[in-house]
Amino acid sequence: MKKFFYLYIMSVLLGIDSSFASRQEVLLNDNWSFRFVHQVQKNSQRRVDLPHTWNAQDALSGKQDYYRGTGIYEKNIFINPAWEGKRLFFKFEGVNTTAHVFVNDTYLGEHRGGYGAFVFEVTDVVQYNKDNKLTVRVSNALDPGIMPLVGDFNFYGGIYRSVFLLITEEACISPLDYASPGVYLIQKRVTKEAADVEAKVILSNAGGGKEVGVRLKVTDGDQTVLEKSQTFSLSESSDYVPVSLDFSIGKPHLWNGRKDPFMYKAEVCLLRDGEVIDRVVQPLGLRYYHVDAERGFFLNGEYLKLRGVCRHQDRAETGNALHKEHHEEDVNIMLEMGVNSVRLAHYPQAEYLYDLHDEAGLVVWAEIPFIGPGGYLDRGFVNSPSFRENGKEQLKELIRQHYNHPSICFWGLFNELKTFGDNPVEYVTELNELARQEDPTRLTTSASFLEDGNDLKR
């Protein structure tokens, strides 16, 4: 299946002398050392390659008391002296559940939550022309300040998705906005006659004030549908500079589910003195839809009966440390079953999977891991500031990282919460308001089994 993705130029890594300056991406999945935190003796570490989980055997054997503790990952990374004057970032696509990141034993920061990507800038921390040690302390222990607190699935520990080194110019399309692409294609109004879209681009600048150009090109295969550009002034050292370009497409070719999952390609380039210094490519699947309480789901004005499944991100022998072929196989199984929709239960899943859903024309319900106990003991909600804040952070990650996927029609806010004790109704209302602020173009939803006066389905 075709996958839309960033295009990264590897000229420096390949030793090619080129004046074309753009972002580079280096995959860091191979040759890590791993040990558990209690293994303090010399030579207790072993080699692993990412994606990796330490629970592939014990959790999958059916043990409810599988290991939920801390593991230590380390890797030496050579920092090319040609990268001096550029900006360097480490991007983690998924670490469960808490990650503390160090470079050369210097602490960079923490990420709390096992299902979203995160990025740390390391420009001023690394040492050039030598190996640098990247250390990640990972814990999948239960933390009452982090979603989820409970669930009828395994909470695998480890760096279970890919890790990358990103290299950009001083001015770039920001990777720091909740690890999003830095480009949001906001479908303000879409009909069969016309589509009005706002391309919101988040810029980041680590150098002096400068003037840059932002160029947008929308293509249909080899054909350019439209192209426009605008010049902007950047102030010194700002990590969040939002700029916008509005555009319209007449008689748009719509993304129409399984019937016709057509997508344009939107290329956003950042230019300085006429030269491209950064480039991000995103899918643009134009569609409109609504839900009628009596009649059901309508896509592009036509009723569509949703036939769906739920999907968890694990399988035998590998746990949640999935490779591309695993995602592809799952989607192919869905299509063979006649599925046209999927609920990604109960957490954000791999970026590649959303790409596959776009291309297959599946209608997606994507959700945060706000999970109640269902018929089990324990609690899904603790009314503490840390838990409430973490849930909001994970919701922002979900929406910003996956905003441009046309397959996503619903943001899920919770699953099977109960209302005794700390009652989550007020907090769910806050999450719903936040989701609407982040993305007013999509519907929010949830799964609830309550029928009392505090019904969470409202």
Side-chain angles (χ1 to χ4, degrees):
M1 290 184 175
K2 183 180 177 184
K3 176 180 183 291
F4 289 105
F5 56 96
Y6 297 145
L7 175 65
Y8 298 102
I9 306 302
M10 303 297 292
S11 57
V12 173
L13 295 179
L14 297 175
I16 300 172
D17 182 18
S18 173
S19 60
F20 184 87
S22 187
R23 80 170 55 189
Q24 303 164 47
E25 180 183 82
V26 184
L27 183 64
L28 301 177
N29 281 0
D30 293 341
N31 197 24
W32 290 71
S33 70
F34 172 79
R35 63 181 175 85
F36 290 111
V37 70
H38 57 266
Q39 295 175 314
V40 295
Q41 300 85 359
K42 289 184 178 180
N43 302 319
S44 58
Q45 68 273 21
R46 58 187 174 90
R47 172 181 167 155
V48 299
D49 296 323
L50 306 182
H52 174 262
T53 175
W54 62 70
N55 293 124
Q57 300 303 316
D58 59 350
L60 288 170
S61 70
K63 293 179 60 177
Q64 289 186 305
D65 59 343
Y66 59 90
Y67 182 74
R68 297 190 65 180
T70 301
I72 311 294
Y73 292 84
E74 291 187 335
K75 179 180 175 64
N76 288 325
I77 303 164
F78 181 75
I79 301 299
N80 195 320
W83 297 335
E84 287 199 70
K86 299 183 183 294
R87 297 175 69 182
L88 278 65
F89 308 85
F90 286 130
K91 179 176 181 178
F92 297 81
E93 291 194 333
V95 180
N96 201 27
T97 301
T98 303
H100 292 88
V101 182
F102 303 77
V103 173
N104 299 324
D105 296 321
T106 298
Y107 182 62
L108 285 181
E110 174 189 38
H111 182 261
R112 295 163 58 83
Y115 305 101
F118 58 96
V119 173
F120 286 111
E121 183 167 5
V122 295
T123 306
D124 298 329
V125 180
V126 297
Q127 300 174 20
Y128 293 88
N129 202 27
K130 61 176 60 178
D131 282 338
N132 287 245
K133 184 174 68 173
L134 173 59
T135 304
V136 188
R137 296 175 61 95
V138 181
S139 172
N140 67 334
L142 177 65
D143 185 328
I146 301 176
M147 287 183 181
L149 300 180
V150 66
D152 55 355
F153 54 91
N154 295 325
F155 297 173
Y156 301 96
I159 306 179
Y160 70 98
R161 293 181 189 153
S162 294
V163 178
F164 298 90
L165 171 65
L166 305 181
I167 304 111
T168 73
E169 298 298 305
E170 286 189 333
C172 63
I173 300 170
S174 180
L176 295 172
D177 185 31
Y178 285 86
S180 76
V183 174
Y184 300 94
L185 303 171
I186 304 169
Q187 301 187 31
K188 302 176 77 171
R189 180 177 179 272
V190 178
T191 69
K192 294 178 181 179
E193 300 302 317
D196 299 327
V197 182
E198 175 190 356
K200 180 180 177 182
V201 184
I202 310 302
L203 304 180
S204 179
N205 182 34
K210 58 191 65 176
E211 192 173 84
V212 296
V214 176
R215 184 179 69 203
L216 167 73
K217 183 165 70 171
V218 177
T219 58
D220 174 359
D222 296 331
Q223 179 182 0
T224 298
V225 176
L226 65 87
E227 184 172 343
K228 65 184 306 182
S229 59
Q230 191 170 338
T231 300
F232 300 93
S233 295
L234 294 181
S235 59
E236 296 185 13
S237 300
S238 178
D239 281 335
Y240 188 88
V241 183
V243 301
S244 292
L245 288 84
D246 294 330
F247 64 94
S248 297
I249 298 176
K251 298 288 186 181
H253 190 163
L254 299 178
W255 184 91
N256 200 27
R258 296 286 298 121
K259 185 186 299 185
D260 182 15
F262 172 82
M263 288 179 286
Y264 298 96
K265 184 167 62 176
E267 174 194 83
V268 178
C269 291
L270 185 65
L271 300 95
R272 185 177 61 228
D273 299 327
E275 288 194 16
V276 175
I277 60 173
D278 203 1
R279 181 175 183 266
V280 166
V281 177
Q282 288 289 286
L284 176 60
L286 298 169
R287 77 284 185 270
Y288 60 98
Y289 60 93
H290 73 278
V291 174
D292 184 282
E294 302 298 329
R295 301 171 63 199
F297 181 79
F298 288 76
L299 178 62
N300 301 328
E302 298 180 2
Y303 171 72
L304 179 63
K305 183 177 182 178
L306 298 180
R307 301 181 301 273
V309 296
C310 288
R311 193 261 189 176
H312 277 285
Q313 61 174 16
D314 60 357
R315 59 175 52 211
E317 303 300 326
T318 58
N320 66 345
L322 303 184
H323 293 265
K324 286 186 175 181
E325 57 265 28
H326 298 133
H327 300 298
E328 291 166 0
E329 183 178 43
D330 282 358
V331 172
N332 286 332
I333 291 172
M334 294 178 199
L335 300 182
E336 184 180 347
M337 294 169 61
V339 163
N340 65 4
S341 62
V342 58
R343 179 185 180 193
L344 296 178
H346 293 290
Y347 38 74
Q349 301 191 17
E351 179 73 22
Y352 184 59
L353 183 70
Y354 294 98
D355 293 335
L356 295 177
H357 290 329
D358 293 341
E359 294 153 12
L362 298 178
V363 174
V364 172
W365 166 343
E367 64 189 26
I368 58 173
F370 193 11
I371 304 160
Y376 300 97
L377 299 174
D378 222 330
R379 304 283 303 141
F381 173 61
V382 174
N383 191 22
S384 69
S386 59
F387 183 88
R388 294 172 73 113
E389 181 61 26
N390 180 256
K392 292 178 180 179
E393 291 294 288
Q394 292 200 49
L395 181 58
K396 289 179 183 178
E397 288 180 350
L398 171 68
I399 294 175
R400 297 194 191 190
Q401 290 172 21
H402 306 299
Y403 189 93
N404 296 325
H405 291 288
S407 58
I408 299 176
C409 295
F410 305 96
W411 298 122
L413 301 183
F414 70 86
N415 178 70
E416 296 185 357
L417 294 174
K418 294 183 178 179
T419 56
F420 64 83
D422 286 341
N423 191 320
V425 170
E426 177 190 0
Y427 180 56
V428 168
T429 300
E430 291 181 16
L431 291 177
N432 188 59
E433 292 172 352
L434 176 60
R436 298 295 295 164
Q437 292 170 10
E438 290 286 319
D439 181 11
T441 71
R442 286 183 172 94
L443 302 175
T444 56
T445 189
S446 60
S448 178
F449 53 17
L450 297 182
E451 297 178 355
D452 59 21
N454 281 324
D455 192 348
L456 280 166
K457 293 180 287 187
R458 62 180 184 171

